[in-house]
Amino acid sequence: TNLPATTALCTYEYWDGDEWSLFSLSSHDRQVLEGLMERPVFAASFARVSDCVFRLRGIGLNIETKMYRNDPETGRQRYGVFFLNSPVKRIERSVS
């Protein structure tokens, strides 16, 4: 899947059901989260994306995986799509 090119450290907040919690991400973890915030993320090869999803779930984010079979476009027999179910907001900070 094509992920955003954003890799610099950034702060986010998510609703855990009771309160907003802060966390910061950079590198590939940030790319995967930014992608999930835009749309579901397709992953035919789980190695890179699923590792990030595992870490994002460890923060407390609710990310659902739906598995599918036989993708005619790629020829993959099995693939997954990740869906972000947690409300997440990027924290914009002004630089002075």
Side-chain angles (χ1 to χ4, degrees):
T1 196
N2 292 331
L3 296 172
T6 52
T7 59
L9 184 66
C10 186
T11 301
Y12 301 86
E13 62 181 351
Y14 77 99
W15 182 253
D16 69 6
D18 294 319
E19 63 185 6
W20 288 96
S21 298
L22 291 174
F23 63 98
S24 296
L25 293 174
S26 64
S27 191
H28 196 60
D29 290 342
R30 179 177 179 194
Q31 288 180 292
V32 170
L33 178 60
E34 290 284 339
L36 285 166
M37 290 171 67
E38 292 175 13
R39 66 191 166 282
V41 173
F42 166 88
S45 171
F46 283 93
R48 291 180 47 192
V49 174
S50 63
D51 287 347
C52 293
V53 168
F54 179 78
R55 287 189 294 273
L56 295 172
R57 286 178 177 149
I59 291 169
L61 299 180
N62 179 351
I63 301 172
E64 179 182 5
T65 306
K66 291 186 180 180
M67 297 302 298
Y68 299 93
R69 295 194 177 280
N70 302 323
D71 180 16
E73 278 188 41
T74 64
R76 298 276 181 189
Q77 291 187 9
R78 186 172 165 212
Y79 65 97
V81 179
F82 296 102
F83 296 85
L84 177 64
N85 294 327
S86 295
V88 177
K89 296 189 279 188
R90 187 179 314 107
I91 305 297
E92 301 294 338
R93 296 215 167 108
S94 59
V95 177
S96 22

